[in-house]
């Protein structure tokens, strides 16, 4: 039986909506607020107001895998080094939550993974400490330096990178079509074990919409984005400028073989789905836990 590709993809998006897990999201928000209050109490006038970021703030989150992010903007004179800032925030979170959560150092964030509760839910919050570039500059510029506890692509361990998370969030505002395709590609990543970063996917989708005509139904838009990426991502001149730092080319986080692998993966997805519409179900599965009582042809 032929699968209606647009109907199926709409079903995929509907079944992965965050609204299906509102009670769990509320738990996440409560834990995030608890961490925010603990940080504000500890650091007081050394920080500006912590704020929400990540996929939930960008409206690109999916209900099968997500966490909530909290950015903590430190004032320039709060710490002499970014490593000192990162380590001290980790120590504070560890001492505060060690009896009820696992605290771990990550690339630029500190993960707080709370123990399984009575509903067997696990809540995970990522805390991203950053420091303003010059004294009193942050309220206007919103620029921060973040510390890299682990290397990533061309970025070495124990170095730092300027970012502007507000600009990254603004970059995707009012882009409803792009958000849908970003969510679909995040689901492809998750269900097929792909290791490409979600931020990379986000920028690829936005650039495809900006650089070529992406129209039609959901499948046409998804295929258009994947085709654009397949045809361009291996070019040496192809760049992805980070909206939070114009000097940061996110494509540099991929080696040549990784670029080729991404192009090949997208090419294969398109070919297999066009060979048989049934194949779309393996690449973009519906979340059966929240599947609508409806037949997707």
């Amino acid at each position: 039986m032929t699968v209606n590709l647009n109907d199926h993809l709409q079903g995929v998006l509907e079944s992965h909506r965050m609204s299906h897990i509102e009670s769990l999201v509320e738990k996440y928000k409560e834990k995030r607020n608890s961490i925010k209050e603990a940080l504000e109490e500890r650091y007081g006038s050394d920080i500006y107001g912590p704020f929400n970021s990540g996929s939930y703030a960008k409206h690109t989150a999916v209900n099968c895998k997500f966490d909530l992010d909290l950015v903590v903007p430190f004032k320039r004179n709060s710490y002499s080094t970014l490593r000192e800032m990162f380590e001290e925030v980790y120590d504070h979170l560890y001492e505060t939550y060690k009896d009820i959560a696992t605290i771990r150092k990550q690339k630029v964030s500190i993960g707080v993974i709370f123990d399984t509760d009575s509903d067997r839910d696990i809540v995970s919050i990522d805390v991203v400490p950053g420091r303003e570039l010059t004294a009193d500059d942050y309220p206007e510029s919103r620029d921060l330096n973040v510390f890299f506890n682990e290397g990533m692509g061309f970025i070495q361990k124990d170095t730092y990178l300027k970012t502007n998370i507000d600009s990254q969030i603004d970059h995707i505002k009012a882009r409803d079509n792009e958000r849908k395709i970003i969510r679909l590609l995040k689901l492809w990543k998750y269900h097929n074990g792909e290791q490409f970063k979600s931020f990379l996917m986000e920028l690829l989708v936005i650039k495809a919409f900006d650089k070529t005509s992406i129209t039609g139904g959901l499948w046409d838009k998804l295929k258009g984005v994947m085709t654009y990426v397949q045809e361009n991502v291996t070019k040496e001149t192809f760049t992805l400028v980070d909206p939070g730092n114009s000097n940061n080319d996110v494509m540099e986080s991929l080696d040549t073989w990784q670029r080729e692998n991404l192009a090949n993966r997208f090419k294969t997805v398109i070919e297999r789905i066009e060979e048989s519409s049934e194949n779309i179900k393996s690449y973009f599965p519906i979340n059966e836990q929240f599947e609508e009582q409806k037949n997707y042809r």
Side-chain angles (χ1 to χ4, degrees):
M1 180 181 293
T2 301
V3 176
N4 184 305
L5 301 181
N6 290 323
D7 282 356
H8 177 80
L9 291 175
Q10 186 61 44
V12 171
L13 291 175
E14 290 296 327
S15 69
H16 285 91
R17 287 172 64 90
M18 296 297 289
S19 60
H20 292 305
I21 54 170
E22 287 182 356
S23 61
L24 178 59
V25 172
E26 285 304 312
K27 291 182 183 181
Y28 272 73
K29 289 179 178 179
E30 288 174 8
K31 295 297 188 185
R32 183 179 62 189
N33 288 338
S34 168
I35 293 173
K36 180 179 178 182
E37 291 171 4
L39 291 168
E40 288 175 328
E41 181 179 350
R42 166 66 179 83
Y43 296 107
S45 60
D46 284 338
I47 61 174
Y48 299 99
F51 65 95
N52 307 330
S53 68
S55 62
Y56 193 77
K58 295 176 180 179
H59 303 288
T60 60
V62 290
N63 60 27
C64 58
K65 185 181 185 299
F66 74 100
D67 49 31
L68 295 190
D69 297 63
L70 184 67
V71 179
V72 190
F74 279 85
K75 295 182 179 179
R76 179 63 181 83
N77 297 324
S78 57
Y79 289 101
S80 58
T81 68
L82 291 168
R83 168 176 276 285
E84 182 184 357
M85 173 196 70
F86 186 91
E87 295 289 348
E88 211 286 329
V89 173
Y90 169 81
D91 289 342
H92 177 59
L93 291 173
Y94 179 80
E95 290 302 321
T96 304
Y97 294 103
K98 63 182 178 182
D99 294 331
I100 58 173
T102 298
I103 318 301
R104 67 186 185 195
K105 298 176 184 179
Q106 301 170 157
K107 285 186 175 66
V108 298
S109 65
I110 297 154
V112 183
I113 304 95
F114 289 91
D115 297 340
T116 306
D117 65 14
S118 58
D119 297 321
R120 303 185 66 80
D121 290 329
I122 298 176
V123 172
S124 176
I125 308 295
D126 283 349
V127 179
V128 183
R131 190 184 67 183
E132 66 181 347
L133 277 62
T134 57
D136 304 320
D137 174 69
Y138 175 76
E140 182 175 350
S141 73
R142 309 296 286 183
D143 289 337
L144 293 170
N145 280 329
V146 294
F147 176 75
F148 273 79
N149 180 62
E150 302 173 14
M152 185 178 74
F154 71 99
I155 303 172
Q156 299 292 317
K157 175 180 169 64
D158 294 342
T159 55
Y160 66 91
L161 184 71
K162 181 180 86 69
T163 190
N164 188 309
I165 295 168
D166 290 79
S167 294
Q168 292 176 350
I169 294 173
D170 288 343
H171 190 58
I172 199 170
K173 277 185 177 177
R175 289 181 179 261
D176 186 57
N177 286 321
E178 288 90 333
R179 284 193 186 116
K180 290 177 181 177
I181 304 305
I182 290 166
R183 286 196 287 269
L184 287 171
L185 289 179
K186 288 176 70 172
L187 292 170
W188 167 74
K189 264 172 29 75
Y190 174 74
H191 289 294
N192 293 274
E194 302 292 347
Q195 299 302 309
F196 303 104
K197 297 296 181 182
S198 293
F199 186 48
L200 174 78
M201 291 292 157
E202 177 183 315
L203 295 183
L204 285 170
V205 171
I206 292 173
K207 184 161 187 174
F209 271 85
D210 287 346
K211 293 295 185 181
T212 189
S213 178
I214 306 291
T215 60
L218 274 175
W219 169 242
D220 290 325
K221 291 186 177 77
L222 179 59
K223 178 183 174 183
V225 168
M226 290 191 294
T227 299
Y228 173 81
V229 173
Q230 179 219 325
E231 293 176 348
N232 291 278
V233 74
T234 58
K235 296 177 181 177
E236 291 185 5
T237 56
F238 186 80
T239 60
L240 281 180
V241 177
D242 179 352
N245 180 353
S246 59
N247 292 317
N248 179 27
D249 176 13
V250 178
M251 282 308 302
E252 291 185 8
S253 66
L254 296 187
D255 295 331
T256 299
W257 74 267
Q258 291 173 311
R259 291 188 182 214
E260 293 172 350
N261 183 42
L262 178 56
N264 291 334
R265 296 294 293 126
F266 277 3
K267 183 174 183 290
T268 298
V269 171
I270 294 171
E271 290 177 348
R272 292 206 64 224
I273 291 173
E274 293 193 330
E275 286 171 3
S276 172
S277 59
E278 281 288 329
N279 289 330
I280 199 170
K281 296 179 181 179
S282 62
Y283 290 116
F284 304 95
I286 286 175
N287 187 336
E288 295 180 357
Q289 185 178 358
F290 304 110
E291 184 174 4
E292 298 286 338
Q293 299 301 310
K294 176 180 177 180
N295 291 323
Y296 294 98
R297 301 188 303 275

